[in-house]
Amino acid sequence: MAEERTYLCIDLKSFYASVECRERNLDPMTTNLVVADPERTEKTICLAVSPSMKAMGIPGRCRVFEIPKGINYIMAPPRMQLYIDYSAEIYSIYLKYIAKEDIHSYSIDEIMADVTDYLPMYQMTARELGTRMMQDVLDATGIPSACGIGTNLYLAKVALDITAKHAEDHIGVLDEESYRRTLWTHRPLKDFWRIGSGIAKRLESMGIFTMEGVARADEDALYRMFGIDAELLIDHAWGREPTTIADIKAYKPKANSISSGQVLGCDYNYENGRLIVKEMADLLCLELVDKGLVTDSFTLYVGYGKRYGKKSAHGTTTMTVTTSSAKQIIAYTVKLYERIVDRTTPIHRVNLSFNNVVDEVYQQYDLFTDPAELEREHRLQKAMLDIKEKYGKNAILKGMNLVEGATARERNRQIGGHRSGE
């Protein structure tokens, strides 16, 4: 029988909003603060709201116009680099207690950790260790947190997401027995990890509204509805999860890709849309060079404005070369764009993915490639990266980045589509 393990899942409460409060010497638990870009419209989504606003029933990812008019609050522009710096400092605190091999960074503000072998060493219970780590983070950074403890990763995550919210010390603890006893009848289903609105609606169409309902349901019917994903759903309904931190660390994807996407500030016409795609391809090529990678395939997705009927266009192209050359890749990208995109429908969203990304040692030419010219371009790309590293991403630009409608300069001041704060 496998040894029972113990996992912690620690989440920083309303992380972005808490950072902004601490930067202003304000208490995140009592200050009304929203992280959102004031230069965007009231339809923009809030990146975070402070715990005091969540206590009023305001969702963490609401739109600005959805905040009740009678509430006074501070609106803080996003500063993504600042949040990354805080996250790195907090991760270094976790490393005081647990080796990196036993920690999985689930997101910028959440980690999972296998603490099985640490509890006897520290002569602590899991609750005591979780409390110590949370207090250390609070003392060092002023950021409050919550903790879930479970006998597997799923139970630790559910203990964090559901149980810890109702605990005075912000710590939730679950094993399979207590999970079934306390949460089998919990509603709504979408409170549970990996059950979104879509899955919840499909379960409701089967007359299933709780995890007990999933556990008691006809398994064949679940497999017909969800395919292989039914196995995970059934395991989670019973509180089971075989995956460990070691499994996550050992995972190697069969293929790698890099991608870039953006939602445009307004609808773009066909010509301006082509400019955006060229800029995105160029920046992704620089990323390939920076990481010593090449690609032979890419996928382009273009979403049209909602009011125009047509929803999207997408396509994939396999090139005759395996390369990081912007000249070659942009040429292929423009051909694909011109082939799949409707010339008369305004564009609102663009996503470009480079597929089959591999080490540059696998670079391949075709009969029309001049190796000497390719090498010159590669040296130029390297020089551009060096200048950007030293003086900033906008220190060197191409002519297309200065054309009206270009977005690269603005995106170079962002991280994850939001202001970097630098």
Side-chain angles (χ1 to χ4, degrees), residues 342-400:
D342 180 69
R343 292 174 176 268
T344 62
T345 307
I347 293 165
H348 194 65
R349 183 189 301 266
V350 182
N351 186 274
L352 179 64
S353 297
F354 287 0
N355 314 314
N356 304 326
V357 171
V358 295
D359 192 278
E360 61 186 358
V361 298
Y362 297 103
Q363 180 172 253
Q364 293 183 350
Y365 308 146
D366 62 13
L367 293 174
F368 305 100
T369 299
D370 180 350
E373 182 182 347
L374 200 64
E375 179 59 27
R376 283 194 296 272
E377 182 187 3
H378 189 73
R379 288 199 301 268
L380 179 61
Q381 289 173 306
K382 282 280 191 182
M384 291 177 64
L385 286 168
D386 289 343
I387 293 170
K388 288 173 178 284
E389 175 69 23
K390 188 171 183 179
Y391 299 107
K393 293 180 179 179
N394 281 330
I396 183 167
L397 299 165
K398 291 187 174 181
M400 65 178 172

Side-chain angles (χ1 to χ4, degrees), residues 18-37:
S18 292
V19 170
E20 293 294 345
C21 286
R22 297 314 307 174
E23 286 291 300
R24 292 163 171 78
N25 293 317
L26 299 171
D27 184 349
M29 302 304 292
T30 59
T31 302
N32 293 342
L33 184 142
V34 171
V35 179
D37 192 340

